[in-house]
Amino acid sequence: MERVDPFSLVANELSLIATRLRSMVAAEVPNLASAAEYFFKIGAEGKRFRPTVLLLMATALDVHIPELSPPGIGDTLPTDLRTRQQRIAEITEMIHVASLLHDDVLDDADTRRGVGSLNAVMGNKLAVLAGDFLLSRACLTLASLKNTEVVTLIATVIENLVTGETMQLTTASNKRFSMEYYMQKTYNKTASLISNSCKSVALLAGHTAEIAMLAFEYGKNLGLAFQLIDDVLDFTGTSASLGKGSLSDIRHGIITAPILFAMEEYPQLRAVVDKGFDNPANVDIALEYLGKSRGIERTKELAMKHANLAAAAIDSLPQSDDEDVIKSRQALIDLTQRVITRNK
């Protein structure tokens, strides 16, 4: 069967969701509305990676796509399954954007998705409030699904996001220099959202705990692989050479997998990291050690391991001969490879 672009399989639904998201974040207070809409504007939607995964997952779990109803009709309690699953994609995107807004305030970031960050454009207070507003809209949408198990999963996600961001603030070196701690933080910050939403899509369809778990495992491992590659790209950027990335993690004193692996090989690197990276010379020394080490390579290998685990979860789903189901499963497997090979 010929390969299909994962995004093109769900393009129509993605634009439907984008339209619905724009109407969902409209607010009575103009300032709040313009802040909340900031990243849902046409052109600033980002890669829409999460909604794509969730819609593909919905089909991969043997759910047929009904004829799309025009936006506006499904605004009351969604009865049909596909619309309810689309709601999960919308909730996920709102939570994701809220976490970006809050992270940018915490990190004092200047840009996001190639445009000025909201905190830089509108100030920290409004950026925090806009994030809170998005979270409350996500909660309202979640409540409308009237499924307590799904509510529990998504509430856990929000807690995980807070925990992960808090874990990142720690200065205790036994934690900062622990690979296990780093992976737990990464799960909380990045993988929890996609794994629990994938599981929610399965639960809404009435699947068994086993199948819900496979959906969860796919999301979790895809999310971990995604973040590990992000950590590599922060050092390498689009080129294969070191130091061509934005180096924003290390400059913020955030220690990620490549450095952790390098420290295993070169314990001397610990002292450099302990001094902190306010001094650019220390960044250069750390990069030199990283270049000599297998840090980048080992991080890519770990990402590959998780990508393969994600693909294995899809392969474990019950056999189906439905063409759409097979296509969507193939697309989900393709995404595991795309996550690894991307350079942006």
Side-chain angles (χ1 to χ4, degrees):
M1 195 175 70
E2 64 354 314
R3 284 291 160 90
V4 265
D5 171 48
F7 297 93
S8 66
L9 279 179
V10 293
N12 293 343
E13 270 182 294
L14 277 178
S15 51
L16 182 84
I17 283 174
T19 306
R20 226 186 282 145
L21 274 168
R22 281 191 286 274
S23 67
M24 284 160 94
V25 299
E28 286 67 54
V29 185
N31 261 358
L32 195 53
S34 59
E37 282 162 7
Y38 197 70
F39 290 117
F40 297 117
K41 286 204 290 285
I42 316 254
E45 303 108 331
K47 299 181 290 290
R48 293 196 288 194
F49 178 70
R50 290 159 192 80
T52 299
V53 169
L54 294 167
L55 294 171
L56 289 170
M57 181 63 75
T59 308
L61 297 174
D62 220 340
V63 177
H64 293 286
I65 307 179
E67 290 307 302
L68 294 176
S69 57
I73 292 181
D75 288 344
T76 50
L77 173 71
T79 44
D80 75 290
L81 175 58
R82 189 74 183 192
T83 312
R84 293 165 64 84
Q85 290 172 320
Q86 289 168 357
R87 290 280 189 262
I88 297 293
E90 290 153 20
I91 290 163
T92 299
E93 204 56 2
M94 282 191 274
I95 292 173
H96 173 56
V97 170
S99 76
L100 298 184
L101 294 180
H102 286 170
D103 284 359
D104 283 349
V105 171
L106 293 173
D107 303 339
D108 210 12
D110 305 319
T111 59
R112 167 70 73 177
R113 289 180 175 175
V115 292
S117 63
L118 190 68
N119 46 305
V121 176
M122 299 200 175
N124 281 347
K125 290 179 184 175
L126 202 59
V128 169
L129 293 169
D132 289 342
F133 172 70
L134 286 175
L135 288 174
S136 62
R137 278 288 144 108
C139 288
L140 282 171
T141 307
L142 186 55
S144 76
L145 293 174
K146 297 184 165 36
N147 182 315
T148 34
E149 200 175 350
V150 170
V151 171
T152 306
L153 292 180
I154 305 296
T156 308
V157 167
I158 297 177
E159 184 186 341
N160 287 344
L161 284 169
V162 176
T163 306
E165 199 59 40
T166 311
M167 286 174 80
Q168 192 163 287
L169 297 175
T170 189
T171 51
S173 53
N174 62 329
K175 296 205 167 90
R176 276 178 73 212
F177 298 164
S178 148
M179 192 68 193
E180 207 176 330
Y181 186 85
Y182 161 84
M183 288 302 282
Q184 185 60 54
K185 180 199 81 178
T186 298
Y187 171 76
N188 284 327
K189 277 198 65 169
T190 309
S192 172
L193 178 59
I194 190 70
S195 57
N196 284 294
S197 343
C198 281
K199 187 176 178 180
S200 299
V201 161
L203 291 177
L204 286 177
H207 286 293
T208 61
E210 289 78 19
I211 289 188
M213 203 55 210
L214 289 172
F216 178 91
E217 285 297 316
Y218 175 82
K220 179 182 98 172
N221 286 295
L222 187 73
L224 292 173
F226 185 90
Q227 188 56 48
L228 287 162
I229 295 299
D230 251 18
D231 294 341
V232 166
L233 293 174
D234 198 62
F235 288 105
T236 63
T238 46
S239 72
S241 60
L242 211 54
K244 290 286 190 293
S246 66
L247 302 177
S248 74
D249 288 334
I250 195 162
R251 289 198 180 123
H252 280 108
I254 297 166
I255 310 303
T256 58
I259 293 285
L260 291 172
F261 281 134
M263 278 164 63
E264 279 180 34
E265 274 176 78
Y266 295 101
Q268 318 82 292
L269 179 51
R270 255 193 109 118
V272 183
V273 176
D274 268 328
K275 281 190 198 125
F277 294 108
D278 297 338
N279 179 351
N282 282 350
V283 175
D284 292 335
I285 297 171
L287 287 178
E288 202 181 319
Y289 276 115
L290 179 58
K292 287 192 297 193
S293 76
R294 288 188 62 242
I296 295 287
E297 210 180 324
R298 285 179 69 188
T299 305
K300 285 182 174 168
E301 285 166 8
L302 183 58
M304 206 104 62
K305 184 189 103 172
H306 285 290
N308 292 337
L309 284 169
I314 298 302
D315 285 329
S316 306
L317 290 170
Q319 281 288 303
S320 166
D321 45 15
D322 181 296
E323 200 184 328
D324 289 330
V325 173
I326 293 167
K327 260 191 200 165
S328 292
R329 288 181 184 182
Q330 186 55 56
L332 287 172
I333 290 171
D334 284 352
L335 277 178
T336 65
Q337 294 314 302
R338 279 180 189 233
V339 158
I340 299 295
T341 53
R342 73 201 165 96
N343 53 17
K344 65 171 200 291

